[in-house]
Amino acid sequence: MSESNKAQTETVEEMPALLEQIEEMQEQISEAEQELDAQQQIAFAVGVFQANVTVRTLLESLAEGVVIVDRKGRILLFNHQAEELFGYTAEAIQGKRLTVLLPLLYENVHDSHLESFFKNPQPRSMGAGMDLTARRSNGEEFPVEVSLSHLETEVGIFGLAYVTDISLRKKWEWDLQARNQELDAFAHMVAHDLKGSLSILTGFGDFLRAEYANMSGAEIKEILDTIVNGGHKMNSIINELLLFAGLRNEQVESKPLDNAEIVHDALLRLRAEMDKNGSRVEVPDELIRALGYGPWLEEVWFNYLSNAIKYGGNPPIIRVGSENQGPFVRFWVTDNGSGLTTEQQLGLFEPFARRHSGVAQGHGLGLSIVKRIVTKLGGTVGVESTPGKGSTFYFTLPAIDSTE
């Protein structure tokens, strides 16, 4: 083979490698051009921001976070509020893709939305009717409202996003929704229980009016006792509802309390029920003193003891106690009843839940009131129970020395 042919053959063999190198160089040139374009746009945006006092003052005075991007979704500018919202400095975020501020779920669809906006860059809200979220530098997602606008400049159209953190508003909305659900349950439960009590009163009242002349004194007394008990029950329902509603807004000062005295007062209110079923309540001479509010804690003890008397064994044997648990004091009421399954324990402290449906009377507010009171006093509530071995209902309060 001649030297000329040999050189041609080597050149042909080297062509694929040369073409690959050329493609790599073209890609590098394209990336460099894009980077230069981005830097020019960033420099322009920053220059306008820094040079124009009016623009700078306006952007920094806004309560919303302002994010300025080019049509390729590169971030050009952050105002101070945006830095606070997202956790990036303006310098660190410049040139990055806007997708770093979006939940991972939306990264794949963002480019089409961005392209659509720049085809028709009109001021509008983003994601109308949707729950939008954004992503902070630490990965945390938070709910936002976003308004879009645009700015025509010498180097092209910029997109402006005005971002508002609505976490607090969402919390209010969720709280309001929970309260509305609670009130709905409230209406149904109260209507059911008060209607039941009223039916008893009117039913026995009508019977007494019709048959009074033919009844003995003992029969009349029995019916009157039933009517009076029904009235007491209705009064108890109303009182607990008033307490339940008032706990939302009423503020009290916690003070060191002797819970043994409070338990004694609660038992006085339950004396008739205890005598009726032969309940025995064992209370130590002293219970550990803790911080709380007397009138509210009497309702806590009353509810726990009342449930123990209703659902205890035959006869009910009830024990009261207390113990130190670090910065808290734990109080409890233990009964010898049938106990509760895991399923029965779920939701016991939620409004309008009943401990044993159909077993004993009750209007489903007691334990939810206990939870609301104790939570407001800085403690917790709970139950420990095993079927066939009784139940222990407890609550905690801040210890006296926990505030020192």
Side-chain angles (χ1 to χ4, degrees):
M1 181 182 294
S2 66
E3 291 295 328
S4 175
N5 289 338
K6 183 178 180 180
Q8 289 179 354
T9 301
E10 291 176 350
T11 301
V12 171
E13 291 175 349
E14 292 173 353
M15 283 297 293
L18 290 171
L19 290 173
E20 185 176 343
Q21 290 178 3
I22 292 172
E23 289 180 359
E24 289 179 357
M25 291 176 64
Q26 288 176 334
E27 289 179 0
Q28 291 174 358
I29 291 172
S30 176
E31 290 176 358
E33 289 176 343
Q34 291 180 12
E35 179 64 23
L36 179 61
D37 179 53
Q39 292 301 324
Q40 287 176 338
Q41 292 189 341
I42 291 172
F44 179 84
V46 172
V48 170
F49 181 70
Q50 295 295 340
N52 193 316
V53 176
T54 302
V55 173
R56 184 170 72 249
T57 302
L58 175 62
L59 288 179
E60 294 295 9
S61 65
L62 292 174
E64 300 95 339
V66 179
V67 183
I68 301 178
V69 301
D70 64 11
R71 64 170 55 246
K72 293 184 179 179
R74 293 174 301 207
I75 298 171
L76 308 178
L77 201 66
F78 250 32
N79 72 345
H80 178 70
Q81 185 61 24
E83 291 179 317
E84 293 291 323
L85 285 179
F86 293 101
Y88 293 97
T89 64
E91 293 76 14
I93 200 69
Q94 283 175 352
K96 293 186 182 295
R97 295 273 296 165
L98 185 60
T99 49
V100 301
L101 306 181
L102 304 179
L104 299 176
L105 179 65
Y106 300 127
E107 283 189 350
N108 294 333
V109 299
H110 175 258
D111 287 345
S112 61
H113 291 166
L114 185 71
E115 182 180 353
S116 174
F117 171 76
F118 276 100
K119 282 182 179 179
N120 182 28
Q122 299 297 322
R124 61 176 180 264
S125 296
M126 181 177 174
M130 299 174 58
D131 289 330
L132 299 179
T133 55
R135 179 159 51 110
R136 305 189 202 275
S137 59
N138 62 3
E140 176 192 353
E141 295 184 8
F142 61 103
V144 294
E145 276 187 351
V146 181
S147 297
L148 302 177
S149 185
H150 71 285
L151 180 66
E152 295 186 11
T153 74
E154 300 172 10
V155 294
I157 297 176
F158 292 164
L160 281 74
Y162 301 90
V163 185
T164 303
D165 184 347
I166 58 172
S167 299
L168 186 57
R169 187 201 308 170
K170 281 295 181 183
K171 181 182 183 301
W172 290 339
E173 289 177 0
W174 295 329
D175 289 346
L176 180 60
Q177 183 179 14
R179 288 191 178 190
N180 287 340
Q181 292 174 347
E182 189 176 282
L183 287 174
D184 184 58
F186 165 94
H188 284 84
M189 183 65 71
V190 172
H192 176 271
D193 284 349
L194 288 181
K195 183 178 180 180
S197 297
L198 282 172
S199 296
I200 293 174
L201 295 181
T202 55
F204 276 100
D206 288 342
F207 180 80
L208 186 61
R209 180 173 57 185
E211 300 295 331
Y212 176 81
N214 303 319
M215 297 173 64
S216 67
E219 291 173 329
I220 293 173
K221 183 180 182 302
E222 182 179 355
I223 290 179
L224 289 176
D225 286 343
T226 302
I227 292 174
V228 170
N229 288 334
H232 287 320
K233 179 185 175 182
M234 292 176 63
N235 185 62
S236 177
I237 292 172
I238 293 169
N239 286 339
E240 288 207 349
L241 289 174
L242 290 173
L243 177 60
F244 185 76
L247 285 171
R248 290 189 184 279
N249 302 314
E250 187 175 354
Q251 300 297 324
V252 297
E253 180 182 356
S254 292
K255 297 179 179 179
L257 295 174
D258 183 352
N259 273 273
E261 291 185 4
I262 298 175
V263 170
H264 175 73
D265 291 340
L267 288 174
L268 288 178
R269 295 165 58 186
L270 293 165
R271 180 56 56 191
E273 288 187 55
M274 293 171 60
D275 292 342
K276 186 176 180 180
N277 64 7
S279 298
R280 187 172 83 241
V281 181
E282 299 175 4
V283 183
D285 293 336
E286 293 184 359
L287 291 171
I288 300 172
R289 292 168 63 85
L291 296 175
Y293 179 62
W296 284 2
L297 286 176
E298 184 175 329
E299 294 303 320
V300 172
W301 284 111
F302 178 83
N303 275 287
Y304 273 5
L305 291 167
S306 177
N307 280 338
I309 292 169
K310 288 178 183 178
Y311 305 116
N314 187 20
I317 299 175
I318 301 157
R319 295 179 176 85
V320 174
S322 63
E323 63 181 353
N324 285 306
Q325 285 192 339
F328 295 93
V329 179
R330 183 176 185 262
F331 300 92
W332 70 83
V333 173
T334 297
D335 64 52
N336 63 334
S338 59
L340 298 166
T341 65
T342 301
E343 292 75 17
Q344 289 173 326
Q345 294 176 43
L346 296 176
L348 267 180
F349 291 90
E350 300 308 313
F352 317 110
R354 295 177 187 271
R355 177 169 169 181
H356 291 298
S357 179
V359 175
Q361 295 179 347
H363 38 84
L365 281 173
L367 292 179
S368 65
I369 289 178
V370 166
K371 180 179 179 180
R372 182 160 290 183
I373 287 174
V374 173
T375 299
K376 200 155 187 177
L377 293 175
T380 58
V381 298
V383 59
E384 298 168 351
S385 186
T386 302
K389 296 184 179 180
S391 302
T392 296
F393 284 80
Y394 65 87
F395 66 95
T396 65
L397 293 173
I400 293 176
D401 59 358
S402 65
T403 58
E404 296 180 354

